[in-house]
Amino acid sequence: RCLRERECYHPVHRHWPKSRCGMSGVIPNCVVHVEQSGFIDFEGIVDNFSITEVIKARIHDIEEMLADVMIIEKETGKQASIMYVTDASGVEYSKKLFDQVMRSMRPLSEFMADHYVELVNHLVVVNVPAWANALWMMVKPLLPERTRQKVRMLSSSNWRDEIPSLMDPSIAPIFWNDVNHSDFKFCLERPPRVDPIDVKEPIEKLEQLQVKAGKVHWMEYQLDKGDVITFYITGNAVFGFSIVHVENEEEDVLAMRQLHPHIAGMPGPLKVPVQDTLVIPQSGLYKVWFSNTSAWWSSATIQHCIKVIRNQAIE
């Protein structure tokens, strides 16, 4: 079943809510999403959820956008698109913001760019603070060239007057209204901050792996359909991680079928370990991939506990 058809709620969604507002009504076949960047507790999310859990939640959101576009294109026979509006109200410049953009959120940005770069045709920033150009210079290198060309930063003083040129005001968030504007009607709830979550310590003893700068390390498992693989992984530096199914003689990890999302740069030292349980969908050779190819000099120390539970139902 596709992700769109599944009932999906992830704990991250409470703090990073879905953002669909409706059809633009101005730009043909365009669905508008508004993200409340200044009110999302990104620091709390990073401190309490692993980057893979954040990606899982966002994959569902992006897949819903993709499904919207496909439905519209099927119904109209014309190309559809997404307008993604970032409301920067409440965003304050700080070293923590720099670290979040450049380190913690970078794997998410890279993952979305790799898999969904063509989905969003319009990236609009409103409520732009005076220092936004500095933030833009930080974010800009993380985006592909074609994506950078889609970005439009509205005037910091009269941006509300520009909204009707992008969307029907009735689908714009009601909290955009001020003393001179009362046409914005759509209700979006402000997300709550994240309450600290206790990170569970591993039951098993962690093994330690040293991956030298510029190198990769493979771990191989011959698994049967229905087997279960569980893992708990942390590290002291940025490292790559993926679990793949080797169907041919591929050597490139990106050419292999991914059982776990390929993340080229886990933002270590990890505050929250990466842990999950995966059911093997097809018998064959599976590999766990660790990488330190982004480093020039320093080795990465990765601590892990990887266990395989055999499917007892297999005769």
Side-chain angles (χ1 to χ4, degrees):
R1 298 173 63 192
C2 70
L3 293 177
R4 170 73 173 189
E5 295 174 342
R6 299 176 187 170
E7 289 292 330
C8 171
Y9 173 78
H10 192 285
V12 170
H13 285 140
R14 182 168 184 262
H15 310 285
W16 193 341
K18 298 181 181 183
S19 53
R20 191 184 192 280
C21 293
M23 299 298 295
S24 165
V26 176
I27 300 174
N29 296 338
C30 179
V31 184
V32 176
H33 286 252
V34 176
E35 181 170 286
Q36 309 171 58
S37 298
F39 290 86
I40 296 175
D41 183 10
F42 290 114
E43 182 180 354
I45 290 172
V46 168
D47 286 348
N48 291 278
F49 297 96
S50 72
I51 187 62
T52 55
E53 291 303 314
V54 176
I55 288 177
K56 284 181 185 179
R58 297 306 290 167
I59 284 176
H60 278 277
D61 301 339
I62 302 297
E63 284 289 325
E64 287 188 355
M65 294 184 195
L66 180 60
D68 270 347
V69 166
M70 294 174 67
I71 290 170
I72 295 168
E73 291 180 344
K74 183 177 180 180
E75 291 176 349
T76 66
K78 297 180 180 179
Q79 184 175 4
S81 64
I82 298 293
M83 177 189 297
Y84 205 80
V85 183
T86 295
D87 184 350
S89 174
V91 177
E92 298 179 356
Y93 184 80
S94 66
K95 183 180 183 300
K96 286 184 177 180
L97 176 65
F98 181 90
D99 290 341
Q100 288 169 13
V101 171
M102 297 301 292
R103 189 175 66 85
S104 300
M105 289 298 174
R106 184 165 187 164
L108 176 61
S109 174
E110 291 174 343
F111 182 87
M112 296 306 173
D114 287 343
H115 296 279
Y116 300 101
V117 65
E118 297 302 327
L119 180 59
V120 177
N121 281 4
H122 311 274
L123 287 165
V124 181
V125 186
V126 303
N127 260 321
V128 181
W131 49 264
N133 285 333
L135 176 62
W136 174 236
M137 293 307 294
M138 288 190 291
V139 175
K140 192 174 180 179
L142 305 182
L143 302 175
E145 176 62 27
R146 294 183 66 176
T147 303
R148 292 198 290 265
Q149 294 175 356
K150 300 174 184 178
V151 176
R152 177 180 174 185
M153 300 179 71
L154 300 191
S155 167
S156 58
S157 57
N158 63 344
W159 62 269
R160 290 179 178 85
D161 297 329
E162 299 180 57
I163 293 299
S165 67
L166 299 172
M167 69 188 77
D168 187 315
S170 67
I171 69 159
I174 196 169
F175 48 71
W176 283 355
N177 288 319
D178 62 6
V179 293
N180 298 315
H181 302 82
S182 59
D183 295 334
F184 306 137
K185 305 296 185 183
F186 192 78
C187 291
L188 278 180
E189 294 185 3
R190 295 295 196 191
R193 298 187 67 80
V194 181
D195 294 325
I197 300 172
D198 291 332
V199 178
K200 296 181 180 179
E201 295 294 330
I203 299 176
E204 305 287 340
K205 182 179 179 181
L206 298 180
E207 296 184 28
Q208 187 162 294
L209 170 68
Q210 292 277 347
V211 183
K212 294 182 179 180
K215 302 296 184 181
V216 300
H217 180 85
W218 295 94
M219 300 173 68
E220 297 186 359
Y221 300 86
Q222 193 70 41
L223 302 175
D224 294 318
K225 180 179 179 180
D227 287 350
V228 173
I229 184 168
T230 66
F231 55 88
Y232 181 107
I233 297 168
T234 189
N236 72 337
V238 175
F239 65 93
F241 172 70
S242 187
I243 300 178
V244 295
H245 180 202
V246 183
E247 298 178 293
N248 298 304
E249 297 297 325
E250 305 101 330
E251 295 184 0
D252 181 2
V253 65
L254 294 176
M256 302 176 190
R257 184 179 179 184
Q258 296 178 20
L259 182 64
H260 183 278
H262 173 87
I263 302 177
M266 289 280 192
L270 294 181
K271 293 185 177 181
V272 182
V274 176
Q275 50 187 324
D276 207 343
T277 298
L278 305 174
V279 179
I280 302 303
Q282 180 181 347
S283 299
L285 176 63
Y286 289 80
K287 291 186 177 183
V288 178
W289 175 84
F290 292 110
S291 168
N292 191 26
T293 55
S294 63
W296 285 19
W297 308 107
S298 302
S299 296
T301 300
I302 299 166
Q303 294 177 308
H304 64 85
C305 176
I306 301 173
K307 294 183 65 178
V308 172
I309 303 172
R310 296 294 178 178
N311 183 9
Q312 300 300 317
I314 295 178
E315 297 182 355

